[in-house]
Amino acid sequence: QVQLVESGGGSVQSGGSLRLSCAASGDTYSDYSMGWFRQTPGKEREGVAGITSDGTTRYADSVKGRFTLSQDNAKNTLYLQMNSLKPEDTAMYYCAAQRARVPYYLRLSRTAYGFWGQGTQVTVSS
């Protein structure tokens, strides 16, 4: 099964950018659908963006036009480029994977993914 390790989080000012990375190991990366989720204390984990192995994506409305998913199958790595960050983007960000093609309507649903990383913190100050 796949193991996921996130990196790239940090603290930035409003309007700044960060790029998160999710390194996958232990299985064939190209067999997986991948996603990014985020969570703040006391709230449920919410879907940010998801991508299938053939590159089709879905974004949450709150991040459309600001966040961009990409993946490098040769490096078994998923990226989330986050631009124009806002204080409300502050959260722990988690990478997720599922060894199947996750359909579009489930791509932001945490129940569609069976494997999770430990998370990386993103803090955006105003």
Side-chain angles (χ1 to χ4, degrees):
Q1 62 186 35
V2 69
Q3 291 85 48
L4 306 172
V5 178
E6 302 97 332
S7 61
S11 297
V12 296
Q13 291 191 328
S14 182
S17 298
L18 285 172
R19 188 177 80 156
L20 304 184
S21 299
C22 172
S25 61
D27 204 344
T28 306
Y29 178 83
S30 59
D31 289 344
Y32 285 78
S33 297
M34 305 290 293
W36 284 100
F37 290 74
R38 64 188 182 187
Q39 188 171 22
T40 55
K43 293 189 176 181
E44 289 193 359
R45 194 169 296 187
E46 65 171 356
V48 174
I51 187 169
T52 57
S53 59
D54 62 358
T56 60
T57 57
R58 181 181 178 183
Y59 295 91
D61 288 344
S62 58
V63 307
K64 277 181 184 177
R66 301 188 298 122
F67 290 12
T68 304
L69 274 173
S70 62
Q71 56 189 359
D72 185 335
N73 285 354
K75 294 183 178 180
N76 295 346
T77 302
L78 174 72
Y79 302 100
L80 182 67
Q81 179 66 43
M82 306 187 296
N83 298 329
S84 302
L85 282 162
K86 304 175 181 180
E88 51 263 44
D89 294 318
T90 295
M92 184 71 79
Y93 283 71
Y94 296 91
C95 177
Q98 181 62 20
R99 198 173 188 276
R101 180 180 174 83
V102 175
Y104 183 86
Y105 75 98
L106 287 176
R107 213 159 286 166
L108 301 182
S109 173
R110 57 186 175 87
T111 60
Y113 298 86
F115 301 96
W116 295 85
Q118 294 300 305
T120 186
Q121 177 68 36
V122 171
T123 302
V124 184
S125 58
S126 57

